[in-house]
Every structure is written in C-alpha cells, then in structure tokens.
Amino acid sequence: MKNSLAITLVFILSLLLVEECKSEIPDVCVNNLINYNICDSAKEIQNEFAPQLPQQLSENLFLRSVARGDNKVLLNALLLYERSYLEQELLSYGRSMDSIEKQMKNMTENMMCTMQLTSDFIYLGGSVIFNYHFNNGEHYLTIEIDNCDGY
C-alpha cells in the first residue's frame, strides 16, 4: 500500500513538473510581439501559392511545390539544368559556385522580403525555406529566410 502511494505521488509530481516545463517552452505559433498566430499565416501562404504551382519564376527556374509546418513554409524549386552545366557556364564567365550561391541567396531574400504576405510572416517569427534542385533530382541549395532587416 505504501509502495503504490509513493508511486502515485511520484507520478503526480512528474506530471506537474512536465506541465511546468511545457509552459516555459514558447509556442512557435504565437512567439511574437503581438501574439499573432503565424502558423495560421503559414497556412495562408501555402493556400495562396499552391493553386499557382508549378509556376515559372525565370527562364530556367520553376517553383514546384509548397508545404508548411508550424512557423515554417517550405518551397521547392527546380532548376532546368544539371550541376555540370552550371559549373561549365560559371567557369566560362570566371565565376565560382560560391558567387552564384550568394546571388541565389540575395535573389531569394529579395523575393520573399518584398512580398507583403511573406515579409509580414517573416517579421513575426516565421521562416521561408527554399530548396533548389537540379533537373536530374540532385539537391543544389537550401536557403532559409528568417529575417528581412534591410528590406
């Protein structure tokens, strides 16, 4: 009897401790200045983008899919060439892969931080993650935008 009472007390204390710890973990959906639920905004962004997909963003770039999870929006883009083609083109212009990756990051930030819907989402604590793939399926680059300072 004493043993089961002790086990019950330990169990209750454990539950209370878990609840206290959970209350100290910020909710990513409302962890912003105005307690606005940005997870709802992630859903709104997904609903806005999805019907327009696939969408051609430039001559060799297509936006293929959009997904969301909590305070993140994930966009998948397809480059209409393979890594070898990109490397050869960069070599002919005297540029490096590093330089084009910086250019892609700037372009992606500019695109997401100048659209009202996504910039508001990012400002309130959301992030937009772009995954770029070559046309043979090889992953090329992941860019996460979680700050639009300077735009």
Side-chain angles (χ1 to χ4, degrees):
M1 181 73 169
K2 285 183 182 181
N3 226 4
S4 66
L5 181 59
I7 291 172
T8 303
L9 284 174
V10 168
F11 179 72
I12 291 171
L13 289 172
S14 297
L15 285 176
L16 291 172
L17 183 61
V18 166
E19 281 304 310
E20 186 176 321
C21 289
K22 280 173 52 180
S23 69
E24 292 176 12
I25 300 171
D27 182 356
V28 295
C29 293
V30 292
N31 189 23
N32 55 62
L33 297 173
I34 59 173
N35 288 325
Y36 178 75
N37 189 331
I38 59 170
C39 295
D40 290 343
S41 290
K43 184 177 182 179
E44 182 183 344
I45 291 168
Q46 181 184 28
N47 291 341
E48 180 79 23
F49 277 57
Q52 302 172 42
L53 300 178
Q55 181 181 29
Q56 188 168 4
L57 300 177
S58 69
E59 183 181 346
N60 292 310
L61 179 63
F62 276 84
L63 187 58
R64 294 191 308 174
S65 65
V66 60
R68 66 178 168 82
D70 292 334
N71 65 333
K72 297 187 183 301
V73 172
L74 178 67
L75 297 162
N76 288 299
L78 176 67
L79 296 162
L80 298 181
Y81 46 80
E82 295 179 11
R83 178 182 295 276
S84 58
Y85 172 81
L86 177 59
E87 289 171 341
Q88 188 61 42
E89 284 295 303
L90 291 172
L91 187 62
S92 70
Y93 287 102
R95 294 189 60 194
S96 67
M97 286 293 279
D98 196 42
S99 72
I100 196 70
E101 287 173 11
K102 287 177 184 169
Q103 183 178 338
M104 294 281 289
K105 184 176 184 340
N106 289 338
M107 177 198 73
T108 305
E109 282 180 356
N110 185 55
M111 183 173 28
M112 292 296 103
C113 291
T114 56
M115 289 175 46
Q116 190 72 47
L117 183 63
T118 52
S119 66
D120 289 349
F121 172 71
I122 293 165
Y123 175 76
L124 290 172
S127 68
V128 178
I129 302 167
F130 256 84
N131 279 314
Y132 291 92
H133 292 84
F134 292 111
N135 66 357
N136 63 358
E138 178 188 356
H139 180 264
Y140 167 51
L141 189 60
T142 297
I143 298 170
E144 182 170 0
I145 301 105
D146 59 6
N147 187 319
C148 286
D149 290 348
Y151 286 91

